[in-house]
Amino acid sequence: MINRTIPLQTGGVIPIKYKIGDVAKLLSITPEAIRYYEDQGIITSTRDERSGYRYYGVWDIHVLIQSRIYRQYGYSLAEAANLINHCKIDDIASILSEKEADIEKAIIWHMNLLKRIRQVQTIITDTKNNLGKFRLEYRPPMYRLETQDGYKLYSSPHKRALTQSWIEKIPFVFPGALFPKSELEQGGTKFSFGLAVDEEYANFLDIKPSEDVVFFPSRLCLYTAFQSHSGIVLSPRHLAPAIDYMHSQGMKLHGDIISKIVMMCKIENKYYNWHQLWLPIDSQPPQASL
């Protein structure tokens, strides 16, 4: 670190002063941040009239270290400056308790986020390895909010506001389609698209059943995975292999079919989706061989 002595002051002590660049490097902050703190009156520089350089003392460095402590707690530059300049010790203890609550919420969020990202890795691998394959499994219980009639977003302000509130819960919320059993039986092509969340995250995200939010309990399903892409409109025909297999095994559909989009990526000029798909059945027929 480069330092420079400044002319003699009262008491005969020659304080050691440091250039702004040296202080910034030592504390891993920007010169602009140091100038900001100086503008706020937290620190005071000594200016060399010959060179125009600003110099700071060790006391300034310790004040800046305290500001760095506040910054690491998550306070902004302005908040850190206010804590140093205007708050008494009791005030600071109270303010820190509020920050403690914020950090605790963030920890809970990130713990769930870590859990979720680990789950998604497993789901991606399973989906990739089971394209076109079939097995019996219990569909995870989930809550769904329908957001689209096919490819058309619902236009009501209430529905749009609810959709926006769910999007803010990403990545715990995932998109997927719902193919009504009645529509499939009549040979129709209508389906809805929506957002869903697994029941295990419902309390954490404060999601409850309502007129718009439907709970789908766990139930035995024929499970498979399939791909769709932006070049072909998603429709019930994507379900044909699974429905054909279900019938070949003597199974009957006993509820709406739900898909979950697991992953999207671009291949050449098309966007590909990987879906998980659950076809509800009543029970496993004796002749079913998966």
Side-chain angles (χ1 to χ4, degrees):
M1 177 180 290
I2 301 172
N3 60 63
R4 179 184 176 90
T5 59
I6 300 300
L8 198 66
Q9 295 186 353
T10 304
V13 177
I14 302 177
I16 304 298
K17 295 285 183 173
Y18 302 91
K19 287 182 178 179
I20 188 171
D22 297 322
V23 176
K25 183 177 180 180
L26 175 68
L27 300 178
S28 297
I29 58 178
T30 64
E32 289 75 19
I34 295 174
R35 294 188 188 98
Y36 173 82
Y37 283 119
E38 185 170 354
D39 291 341
Q40 296 299 309
I42 295 175
I43 57 176
T44 304
S45 66
T46 302
R47 187 178 295 274
D48 189 318
E49 295 180 358
R50 292 173 296 174
S51 65
Y53 289 138
R54 299 184 186 192
Y55 292 91
Y56 299 88
V58 172
W59 181 255
D60 297 314
I61 290 173
H62 282 282
V63 174
L64 291 172
I65 287 173
Q66 183 62 47
S67 76
R68 287 281 288 162
I69 291 172
Y70 290 138
R71 294 283 286 138
Q72 290 301 104
Y73 289 153
Y75 293 104
S76 67
L77 280 172
E79 289 169 334
N82 181 66
L83 283 165
I84 293 171
N85 263 353
H86 304 295
C87 294
K88 298 179 181 179
I89 189 167
D90 290 338
D91 298 329
I92 292 174
S94 176
I95 292 169
L96 287 177
S97 70
E98 296 174 5
K99 181 58 70 175
E100 176 189 5
D102 292 341
I103 292 173
E104 186 175 20
K105 288 180 183 178
I107 289 172
I108 292 172
W109 173 269
H110 280 91
M111 286 178 64
N112 279 280
L113 190 62
L114 179 62
K115 176 183 177 182
R116 184 62 184 160
I117 200 169
R118 287 171 174 168
Q119 288 175 333
V120 169
Q121 291 176 72
T122 301
I123 290 170
I124 289 172
T125 300
D126 180 81
T127 303
K128 180 189 70 172
N129 293 337
N130 284 281
L131 287 173
K133 298 178 181 179
F134 304 95
R135 69 173 183 247
L136 294 178
E137 71 171 36
Y138 280 86
R139 182 187 63 209
M142 66 181 73
Y143 292 84
R144 279 188 59 88
L145 169 69
E146 302 309 319
T147 60
Q148 295 174 216
D149 180 6
Y151 281 87
K152 182 180 179 181
L153 286 166
Y154 292 119
S155 59
S156 74
H158 168 72
K159 202 75 167 182
R160 291 286 181 91
L162 199 54
T163 299
Q164 183 179 1
S165 72
W166 272 54
I167 287 174
E168 291 173 354
K169 302 179 190 300
I170 288 172
F172 303 100
V173 166
F174 54 84
L178 185 147
F179 301 89
K181 176 177 179 287
S182 58
E183 183 74 13
L184 293 169
E185 289 174 339
Q186 296 169 13
T189 60
K190 292 183 179 180
F191 69 97
S192 63
F193 209 81
L195 299 171
V197 61
D198 291 334
E199 183 186 30
E200 63 181 303
Y201 294 108
N203 288 337
F204 165 60
L205 298 172
D206 193 27
I207 289 178
K208 300 178 179 65
S210 68
E211 182 179 349
D212 299 287
V213 179
V214 179
F215 177 65
F216 289 81
S218 177
R219 65 174 303 168
L220 184 63
C221 291
L222 176 67
Y223 168 85
T224 187
F226 73 94
Q227 282 183 320
S228 66
H229 62 73
S230 56
I232 300 177
V233 175
L234 182 67
S235 73
R237 69 174 175 269
H238 285 87
L239 314 182
I243 292 175
D244 290 344
Y245 182 85
M246 180 184 67
H247 290 159
S248 74
Q249 297 297 310
M251 304 175 191
K252 292 183 178 180
L253 186 64
H254 283 272
D256 298 336
I257 299 175
I258 293 176
S259 80
K260 171 182 179 180
I261 294 178
V262 172
M263 182 54 60
M264 174 191 286
C265 67
K266 189 174 185 179
I267 302 176
E268 295 180 348
N269 294 320
K270 296 177 183 177
Y271 290 97
Y272 281 77
N273 282 326
W274 279 256
H275 302 250
Q276 291 182 304
L277 186 70
W278 292 277
L279 294 81
I281 60 173
D282 232 3
S283 60
Q284 181 177 357
Q287 71 270 31
S289 56
L290 303 181

